[in-house]
Amino acid sequence: MDSFKHFFKRWWGSKLAPFIVILLMAIALMSKQLLTHSVLLGADSIFHFNRFYDAAMQIKTGKFNYFQSNFGFDQTGRVVNAIYGPVVSYLSGALLILCRNWYMFQSVQAIIFLTIAGLTMYLLCIKNHVSRGYAMVIGILYMYSSQLMGWITTQQFAGVGAMLVPLLVLTGTEAIKKKRISIPYLALAMTLLIQTHIMSTIIGFIAVIPLFLVALLHTNHKFKMIVHTFIAAIITLALTANVWGSALELFGNNYLMPVFPVDNMEDYAFRFDHYSWFSLVKPVEMLVFLFVIYYFIRHFKRSDLITRTLTFTGAFFLLASTTLFPWQTLQKLFPFLSSNLQFPKRFLVIPFVMLLLVFGKILTADHHVLTLRAFNEPKLFRYALLFALIGVNMGINGYNMDFKVDKSNQMVANHYPWAPIAHAYMYVKHNHHTIKQDFFGDNWQYLIRDINKATPDYLPVKSNLQPDDYTKLHPYYTAHYQLIIPNFNNDFDKQVNADGSLTVSWKNKALTSKNVQVPVVKYANTQVTLNGKTNAHVKTTEIGAIIAHSKVGKNTMTIKYVNNQQFNLLMIVFLISWLLMIIYLGAKLIFKF
């Protein structure tokens, strides 16, 4: 027994212990999906599966086209990955190749994302002097929060961005503590977020502004801090040249379909209803937030600068994520919010990071809080309470996953035919595959072809769409009928070429030539070769689908997105800057040890 205690004490003190604990808790959270062999499908699943599938096939075949989707999205040649988390897309594509099927891929990817989230939160706590045990608890609470579960159950990509937000907050707390900016780490934190999820980057950036302003006010080297921040911004631009370079390339030459504008932003805030309590902020999490705010008010004079800034900022974002905030008024004053921010609930990631960090600081600094003297061991009540918090969160998360797991099991058991799921714009293509083949077979294309969803985001449109124009266009239905349905009858044969171009062939069985709407997309820089004629003149629909003059008999069209030379230079900058950053981080690691 003594030897076991000695071994456990040595293991608990090792550097691997936090990683192993958080990894095991991530596996525990995913245990139901693992044990039932389920694939959880939500509103955004098929969109992201298409992204990852396209990246995987590019890696597997070597037929690369950074802009054009030649494998995913029904082989329409549309642009998605270039401006939507490109690095995560290609890393996920590589993971899909290793995992071989969608069930294994989704399970492993979820565990990886959860573990990273737990570890980044743990690191944030440790760097802010939260004791090791409490830092692990806070990491697990964050990992089990609705921000991460949004990715697990419905594949909302904000959940993937949330796993990196603690790193950005860490740069702010370090700036206050050390009264200086760490150039490489600020650049790296911003870069990782930009390469993952732009909206999470914007929200995180806004949230850390108060931290950096406080640091600037309290440093004696204000000009130096401003210069270092500027240098970090330049390095970030170099490390993310692929992302903003793609945006300049596309938005500079095209009008792109925006995300859908919401009619009432309050509908997408925390509404204090059943859905909000179970899917956005669980009751125990809200109790923690309110306790932190209450404790802060009572002990304001004893709180340090970091705690004050974190609590004020976290509390503000908590309020801003609810219907208590005047979103209707703001939406009327600033209509662009409805199609840019869209969902006020996105702000919740900030209180989950900042207020949980303050909670960890309170537990570490105040040995009497959340204890009961009636016990022989007063802290026993605190530990029991913390374990209860984790247990209740795990229970509610399990409850939320039950529906998805049950639906997945029904899908596998009932085979085909099967009704649309989860979202009004998701459709099933009836064919010889079974859901079991889709989930567990090594042909990844089965799933994304059998269960399809029209997603019009980033398609080229004729003009800059205002909210009313967007509604009149009915982009989801339009994309479904122009880009998805024409593929169902196999009237168009599509072949990906070694140079990254896409060839589409079809037969015109009419007695005369005619115009044919082909289910592929043309952007300004998409080069079209029609029946051997390069740079052929073609028309496009309101969402960029090509209308080609089809001769009698067989027709062949090849499309290839040809980016400009400026983008090639930016990609060189991107690759060189990443190489230098890796060398720098490697050198720091070597010399540290």
Side-chain angles (χ1 to χ4, degrees), residues 316-379:
F316 172 78
F317 276 88
L318 178 62
L319 175 65
S321 67
T322 71
T323 53
L324 300 176
F325 204 73
W327 283 113
Q328 287 186 338
T329 303
L330 284 176
Q331 190 173 358
K332 290 178 181 177
L333 292 173
F334 308 103
F336 69 90
L337 290 173
S338 65
S339 55
N340 288 279
L341 173 63
Q342 290 181 296
F343 315 135
K345 64 182 180 181
R346 286 172 164 164
F347 285 140
L348 281 169
V349 66
I350 303 305
F352 269 105
V353 174
M354 292 188 174
L355 296 184
L356 281 180
L357 171 57
V358 176
F359 184 52
K361 288 168 68 68
I362 292 170
L363 293 175
T364 301
D366 191 338
H367 300 295
H368 301 290
V369 70
L370 298 181
T371 61
L372 284 181
R373 295 180 181 177
F375 288 100
N376 292 330
E377 294 288 338
K379 290 185 179 180

Side-chain angles (χ1 to χ4, degrees), residues 167-347:
L167 294 180
L168 187 57
V169 175
L170 176 58
T171 63
T173 59
E174 289 290 283
I176 295 175
K177 186 166 56 177
K178 298 179 179 179
K179 296 182 174 56
R180 62 181 177 84
I181 296 293
S182 176
I183 295 173
Y185 295 136
L186 175 58
L188 189 60
M190 284 295 295
T191 295
L192 291 175
L193 266 169
I194 292 170
Q195 294 286 2
T196 303
H197 191 238
I198 295 296
M199 183 53 68
S200 296
T201 307
I202 294 171
I203 292 172
F205 174 76
I206 294 171
V208 298
I209 287 176
L211 294 170
F212 283 101
L213 288 178
V214 169
L216 185 63
L217 288 172
H218 287 82
T219 182
N220 295 323
H221 307 284
K222 291 179 173 54
F223 180 73
K224 184 178 181 181
M225 180 174 282
I226 292 171
V227 170
H228 284 185
T229 303
F230 180 75
I231 294 171
I234 297 297
I235 295 173
T236 301
L237 286 175
L239 292 168
T240 59
N242 61 319
V243 179
W244 59 266
S246 299
L248 289 177
E249 165 91 14
L250 289 162
F251 287 95
N253 299 301
N254 305 272
Y255 294 107
L256 299 187
M257 179 81 71
V259 296
F260 74 92
V262 299
D263 295 329
N264 184 3
M265 292 178 66
E266 269 195 5
D267 292 338
Y268 299 91
F270 184 90
R271 299 182 58 83
F272 301 92
D273 56 10
H274 180 274
Y275 168 78
S276 297
W277 287 118
F278 275 81
S279 299
L280 299 183
V281 182
K282 305 178 195 71
V284 291
E285 293 167 340
M286 185 61 80
L287 284 175
V288 170
F289 294 159
L290 294 177
F291 166 76
V292 168
I293 296 169
Y294 166 77
Y295 185 93
F296 170 73
I297 293 171
R298 281 202 63 184
H299 301 84
F300 177 79
K301 292 183 178 179
R302 288 192 293 166
S303 61
D304 57 36
L305 200 56
I306 292 176
T307 300
R308 292 179 182 183
T309 311
L310 288 171
T311 308
F312 275 122
T313 307
F316 172 78
F317 276 88
L318 178 62
L319 175 65
S321 67
T322 71
T323 53
L324 300 176
F325 204 73
W327 283 113
Q328 287 186 338
T329 303
L330 284 176
Q331 190 173 358
K332 290 178 181 177
L333 292 173
F334 308 103
F336 69 90
L337 290 173
S338 65
S339 55
N340 288 279
L341 173 63
Q342 290 181 296
F343 315 135
K345 64 182 180 181
R346 286 172 164 164
F347 285 140

Side-chain angles (χ1 to χ4, degrees), residues 23 41 45 48 55 59 101 112 152 181 205 245 292 313 352 395 430 433 455 463 481 493 506 520 541 543 564 569 579:
L23 174 62
L41 295 180
S45 304
H48 294 299
I59 296 170
N101 63 60
I112 291 173
I152 304 303
I181 296 293
F205 174 76
V292 168
T313 307
F352 269 105
H430 297 268
H433 309 143
T455 46
S463 61
Y481 285 105
D493 182 59
W506 70 95
V520 291
T541 68
I543 60 169
N564 56 42
L569 291 175
L579 179 62

Side-chain angles (χ1 to χ4, degrees), residues 523-534:
Y523 294 82
N525 286 358
T526 301
Q527 185 183 79
V528 180
T529 301
L530 179 61
N531 294 325
K533 183 179 179 181
T534 308

